[in-house]
Amino acid sequence: MMDALAKLGRGALDFFERLGRGHLFLMYVLAGSPPLLLRLRLWTQQMYSVGVLSLLIVAVAGLFVGMVLGLQGYNTLVDFGSEESLGVMVALSLVQELGPVLAAVLFAARAGTSLTAEIGLMKTTEQLSGMEMMAVDPLQRVIAPRFWASFVSVPLLAAIFSAVGVFGGYFVGVGLLGVDDGAFWSQIQSRVDFHEDVMNGVIKSVVFGFVAAWIALFEGYDAVPTSEGVARATTRTVVHTSIAVLGLDFVLTALMFD
Amino acid sequence: MFHNRNLEIVVGLFVALGFAALFILAMKVSNLSAFSDQEGYSVSARFDNIGGLKVQAPVTMAGVRVGRVEGIGFDQETFEAVVTLKIYNEFKQLPRDTSASIFTSGLLGEQYIALEAGGDVKNLAAGDEFKITQSALVLEELIGQFLFKAAEGGE
């Protein structure tokens, strides 16, 4: 009985301790960021490995998601004779929900895991402590560029995802299924509002980018320095990012699109 | 890895692509290009019933968009809806006895305001009010009236 209680207590304490470490980590990273402005090259390098290399998977996924939306939406809408609204359906679901969420989840899977593994291995092989010995702050030199690169990349990737997806829906709807070309675009333009829909999607993806970057880097930095610990941390990155992104998506949707 | 310069070019391309996607979403997908905050002047109109009219709904004349609904209010003394319309500046020459009606685009589409020009020589100015207005047709009322008439005729 007491043992079980103690176990519960330890679990809770561990959880909150980790949460606290995560927030302290974030604060140190943010505080250590200004010097990054003097070394933009570090940031560019990370933008390449984190953003540019994720471009392909995000664009291809966006294309197929848009095409599937077009196909499924058409089958449903054609029953009501309102297949002209296909464009609105595809564009709104992409811009508001699927673009930001799927781009962030794909980002976690493609780039977040590699960030966690990289930092975790640096910790395991004591490169991070080595840097500290040389009076180089690893939070400034290693973590901050990766954080800001991820933070900037996710909104860009989400925008690309949505744009490519709309064209995917266009190819299927107009190209294959014969929805009227003009009606497709004019319906979209009359129903999708820039501030209400597009900008709120951008705000979402900015929040998701922040969260995805934070989780991936913290998991790596906080990993148990063994090969098993790094493996676990990598798994946790994907799981936690997905849960956080989907949960936050609900909260943000409830706040913004009421 | 690449040379630093190539790396920077690729990253620059990536960022440009992201902004281009956002630009496409803004211009092609959303209605930003349609609104683009055209300058206009405000006039108001009173309706007994505005149905499902919404702010930002189009104001058309002969089917051409000449403005949009800027605000919807309620007059507590006359119990009428007061709709503020923003007419774009390029359409300055509307006669003063122009009438405003609320129509529905298609059977179940969104509602909009259609203006019909009158014959007055003077033009509408900012702050004026439409004298002749026609309320929205509420489908339920129409059906109710029809059923009532049908029942009356049957007896």
Side-chain angles (χ1 to χ4, degrees), chain B:
Chain B
M1 250 219 198
F2 283 92
H3 275 284
N4 258 326
R5 183 159 167 71
N6 286 344
L7 187 99
E8 278 163 11
I9 291 171
V10 175
V11 171
L13 268 177
F14 168 61
V15 174
L17 203 65
F19 279 107
L22 198 62
F23 184 74
I24 289 175
L25 289 178
M27 285 308 167
K28 186 101 183 161
V29 174
S30 78
N31 51 3
L32 193 68
S33 51
F35 282 139
S36 62
D37 273 311
Q38 280 195 57
E39 293 293 309
Y41 59 98
S42 296
V43 285
S44 61
R46 290 164 175 273
F47 294 97
D48 292 331
N49 188 343
I50 58 163
L53 190 73
K54 291 190 181 68
V55 176
Q56 294 279 24
V59 174
T60 64
M61 196 157 196
V64 179
R65 190 192 187 102
V66 296
R68 61 182 173 82
V69 173
E70 203 172 33
I72 293 173
F74 183 69
D75 187 333
Q76 301 222 21
E77 282 169 15
T78 57
F79 303 111
E80 283 174 323
V82 182
V83 178
T84 320
L85 312 176
K86 184 170 163 189
I87 311 284
Y88 301 141
N89 275 338
E90 46 189 305
F91 307 104
K92 269 223 151 113
Q93 315 224 336
L94 303 182
R96 266 175 84 178
D97 56 349
T98 298
S99 64
S101 326
I102 300 180
F103 289 141
T104 312
S105 57
L107 195 59
L108 298 168
E110 62 173 330
Q111 293 191 298
Y112 65 98
I113 293 188
L115 303 181
E116 200 158 330
D120 205 316
V121 276
K122 285 184 186 158
N123 290 334
L124 271 178
D128 279 359
E129 202 178 293
F130 288 105
K131 297 284 182 293
I132 312 163
T133 61
Q134 187 194 326
S135 291
L137 278 181
V138 180
L139 210 59
E140 288 89 333
E141 264 177 31
L142 214 64
I143 294 172
Q145 277 175 6
F146 174 74
L147 288 178
F148 188 68
K149 285 256 170 63
E152 238 179 8
E155 273 178 38

Side-chain angles (χ1 to χ4, degrees), chain A residues 41 44 48 188-189 192-194, chain B residues 2 11 26 28-31:
Chain A
R41 184 153 293 166
T44 332
Y48 177 78
I188 291 183
Q189 284 172 358
V192 182
D193 187 72
F194 181 70
Chain B
F2 283 92
V11 171
K28 186 101 183 161
V29 174
S30 78
N31 51 3

